Amino acid sequence: GAVVSQHPSRVICKSGTSVKIECRSLDFQATTMFWYRQFPKQSLMLMATSNEGSKATYEQGVEKDKFLINHASLTLSTLTVTSAHPEDSSFYICSARRGQESSEQYFGPGTRLTVT
Amino acid sequence: GQNIDQPTEMTATEGAIVQINCTYQTSGFNGLFWYQQHAGEAPTFLSYNVLDGLEEKGRFSSFLSRSKGYSYLLLKELQMKDSASYLCAAMDSNYQLIWGAGTKLIIKP
């Protein structure tokens, strides 16, 4: 099966600092990776779609200067939450897709971010 | 616009059967997914339908009617561990997933 990892699984940071979350596809090459955010008792909200080697496509309402996404290789995408605030506290989940027109999408285990 | 509708919450009894419905409207269609998500965890894949009909996988089955824009997830022999949210997602013509808000399933003894 296809495995996607995320690191860290949990992070607590102070308001105003930046946090980087890594998403890795361990046994396949992911041409596309997706970043989601999920607040308690709500569904997944797609933040951005990132294709290897190109700029991420952000969903409406998501600040691209605040949520920096880098997809530098076919197995790694990073999400950096810059100048984090308590309202950024959430569950961040990445998923990876093998090919552009593939139906297979695999989720990472998620990262719980708490900003104090 | 693109839209996915599913019930917010359902309650069922251990050992029983429950059917979670999902209707979708998307720009193009490349399949319908069901995911299970336990509280505090990432979603896990349950099923994928792209052709009309019923797909059975153990205690879980998923049905699709493309002409009606309708799917359901059927859970049999319910166990307490099945208490979770069940997410319906349709893939559009750009191979992007359009997500429903999820159905919280509560299993009672």
Side-chain angles (χ1 to χ4, degrees), chain A residues 35-53:
Chain A
W35 286 97
Y36 294 88
R37 181 167 55 181
Q38 186 175 37
F39 292 105
K41 299 184 180 180
Q42 295 186 23
S43 189
L44 298 172
M45 187 192 82
L46 180 64
M47 298 175 68
T49 301
S50 100
N51 292 298
E52 185 266 338

Side-chain angles (χ1 to χ4, degrees), chain B residues 11-106:
Chain B
T11 302
T13 305
E14 189 177 16
I17 299 173
V18 70
Q19 177 175 311
I20 304 174
N21 296 324
C22 170
T23 57
Y24 64 89
Q25 288 180 303
T26 54
S27 301
F29 180 74
N30 279 300
L32 193 292
F33 294 77
W34 283 96
Y35 285 83
Q36 181 191 60
Q37 186 179 26
H38 285 100
E41 299 180 11
T44 55
F45 172 80
L46 288 179
S47 68
Y48 170 65
N49 295 64
V50 68
L51 299 176
D52 285 353
L54 186 69
E55 296 272 348
E56 297 185 73
K57 195 184 294 184
R59 293 189 299 116
F60 293 5
S61 302
S62 56
F63 171 83
L64 175 68
S65 169
R66 294 180 64 147
S67 62
K68 295 181 179 178
Y70 168 70
S71 172
Y72 68 72
L73 180 69
L74 191 71
L75 294 77
K76 301 177 184 176
E77 301 170 18
L78 286 169
Q79 302 175 9
M80 297 303 293
K81 67 178 182 179
D82 297 331
S83 292
S85 286
Y86 291 86
L87 308 175
C88 172
M91 184 168 275
D92 67 12
S93 57
N94 293 320
Y95 294 89
Q96 303 283 54
L97 283 176
I98 312 301
W99 291 89
T103 298
K104 182 179 180 181
L105 178 63
I106 299 168

